[in-house]
Amino acid sequence: MGPILLASSKRAKGCRVWRVALIGCPSKYNSAQTPTDPRRGRTGAIPVTDRRLASLSQRVFNFSPGPAVLPLEVLEQAQEEMLALPGVGISVLEISHRSPAFDRILEETLHSLKALVGVGDDHELVLLQGGASLQFSMVPMNLLRGFAGAADYILTGTWGELGAKEARREGTVHSAWDGANVNYDRLPSDDEIRLSPKPAYAHITSNETIQGVQWKREPSVGDAPLVCDCSSDFLSRPIDISKYGLIYACAQKNAGIAGVTAVIIRKDLLGRSRDDLPTMLDYRTHVKNGSRPNTPPVFAVYILGLVCRWVRETMGGLAAMQRHNVAKARLLYDAIDASNGFFSGHAQPECRSDMNITFRLTSESLDAEFVKGATGRGLVDLKGHRSVGGIRASIYNAMPVEGVEALRNYMLEFQRSHS
Amino acid sequence: MGPILLASSKRAKGCRVWRVALIGCPSKYNSAQTPTDPRRGRTGAIPVTDRRLASLSQRVFNFSPGPAVLPLEVLEQAQEEMLALPGVGISVLEISHRSPAFDRILEETLHSLKALVGVGDDHELVLLQGGASLQFSMVPMNLLRGFAGAADYILTGTWGELGAKEARREGTVHSAWDGANVNYDRLPSDDEIRLSPKPAYAHITSNETIQGVQWKREPSVGDAPLVCDCSSDFLSRPIDISKYGLIYACAQKNAGIAGVTAVIIRKDLLGRSRDDLPTMLDYRTHVKNGSRPNTPPVFAVYILGLVCRWVRETMGGLAAMQRHNVAKARLLYDAIDASNGFFSGHAQPECRSDMNITFRLTSESLDAEFVKGATGRGLVDLKGHRSVGGIRASIYNAMPVEGVEALRNYMLEFQRSHS
């Protein structure tokens, strides 16, 4: 997968960091020659300088729940073009959002994302600012205000709860299922979901990052438009867009950097927005102006485009991406299940997330020791969310399998030395 | 000023681009040695590689009204740290917004910006997403909703008009002066401003990018809190924050890249916000959570921090920055005034902007020829806004004086050859 394999570690600035070995690397890392890498469609590759090797050797495995690890190829292209976009003479950080150069970037990004996700003629795709948190409000402002009926929320974790809280400011909210009493360790069956008579929409969170539960199928919600906060598994697997009324996803998990959020909305639902909405909070503004009613977050859009290309060209598309992600998650879940209770998973096995693997050891002090030891090995940001505790390993698209293997090996070793 | 001087041009990919000569450059460009540049507080400088020289030689002078040119030093530091922040081992594009590394970046950026602008104990500074356009709504949502009185707008150009339009969705708007009938070519005198009896606030746009008019003093607005859209001259000159109730500014003109917006608000005005506001649109949410209620636009915050450091350490602070900007603007205004009507400025002389120099030639076809010729010389994005026509040269903080001189020389040459 990734070019980096763990090889040795050394102590630097007070903490141990792993050096990368150049085993399995594209040839560009192994010589000073600069061959063309046809996958990346650019001329020339990256010369090996001491500085570059020093940067690479510093890199650790980053299990952050988001912002999260990015493909090395994306970082390198951004680095390479930082002073001047080829043929433009201006950095992507400096180009006008009305320039032909950004016209191309925006068009390619939208096109690439639509093709990857399978957005057809029934839906619109727009890119916004403000993160998923602003969508918690924009969804009900556009779809619930003035609607004769409630918005139904199926609550499977912390993020769904926050979404419902904002929706209550805009209208009536009905809790169609709430996993709070099972500590959000599972999803409901279809039988357990109690919809309101004529819902404005039914809302789910496809993957709860804090609890580590993930919908692998859509719940049955009848005629209600299904609205999904897809922030933490967007681009990690294929989805059937035709089943959704609206999908929103911030980019900083699988799709890019913080600062841009994708919204996919079924065209007929645009008719719900009222004319008294603030212009920038009305989905129609962004649809009508092709995601450019004002200055969009240019660099975040550019990175999203590079990530889309990486998913498609390097990883082989969303189905291949999913196989890859499932395999990575299995490495860790297998270690948990084979540990005889030394590690215990938070989520019920049938609801487990492929993105965020949540588990705990037999005591809080052992949790802390585990995290500390991991950090020393260059396996960083493994501490669980303060509301749940324990350990959380976020292994989004760009986490190389080598990183997951290193964590799995550390788990086995830690268990051996503490049993 | 900047390290780049025009030296020669060549044709590449269908358009002529200027090559940079290494005259006046810091020594790091002139040898393969890597001395430490103490101003930048980092170890090691940037090795001269063919790729780096190629990038530098591609760079043109970018007169875009925003997003706009950035300091080369900022681009270079971003480039250098793109694979891994020193001592962290993770790219700034990948770090968690709750990590110690981002704690430092956010804290330093906020501290640096407050110190530079002179934000004291009476005001709060927050960093938001959504651009100035979202502030057009957030300002009246927070300060006008439920207030017994109108919001007064002093309209000196296109952006002020757009702000007033959004405010009308939230309450009563009073036009205290409107320059539409003079084609927004000047500011009002204090005598011309007609305030409403007890305004919620009085709003100005400190610099109108499209018309090129700029307030160099604050208008007299009595007890009304002065609210200012400072987007296009923020960090270009000192301002007396104590005179303002609220200032907002997107970063992509003088302060950084698109995707982050600074808001400075007098603490007592936070009491105006009503509890029914959507959480992310309530200024109190951002103040209470130190600009981090959800994932902030990490990279845009990082760049803002680098630009603040550049203004302070390299340029000598806001007073020096202003002297520099005034001198640059004078180069162009002097050329306009000495042209015997060949060039005519849009704004009245006493209201001229130091940021956006707007002028026209004696016919639209000559305007077009001028822009085309400029582009061929690597002086790009000089076409005026479609609503005003003519030429607009945006010469924000990071536009080097060499770029302005190149434009001035081209103006003189163009006049000679077309008179």
Side-chain angles (χ1 to χ4, degrees), chain A residues 341-344 359-374 382-383 389-391 410-411 413-419:
Chain A
F342 185 80
F343 302 108
S344 56
F359 59 98
R360 59 184 70 249
L361 285 78
T362 48
S363 73
E364 280 184 27
S365 64
L366 219 49
D367 287 347
E369 191 184 335
F370 180 88
V371 169
K372 192 174 168 202
L382 281 162
K383 195 174 170 198
I391 313 296
Y410 170 64
M411 289 169 72
E413 185 190 315
F414 192 88
Q415 184 178 358
R416 270 197 301 275
S417 60
H418 288 76
S419 293

Side-chain angles (χ1 to χ4, degrees), chain B residues 71 132 138 152 242 266 307 311 321 355 373 404:
Chain B
M138 279 182 72
D152 288 9
S242 71
R266 217 174 60 206
V307 171
V311 171
M321 196 75 248
M355 301 282 100
V404 180

Side-chain angles (χ1 to χ4, degrees), chain A residues 51 59 80 83 166 279, chain B residues 51 59 80 83 166 279:
Chain A
R51 177 167 301 276
R59 279 179 63 84
E80 190 176 331
L83 297 190
E166 289 306 311
T279 300
Chain B
R51 177 167 300 276
R59 280 178 62 83
E80 190 177 332
L83 297 191
E166 288 306 310
T279 300

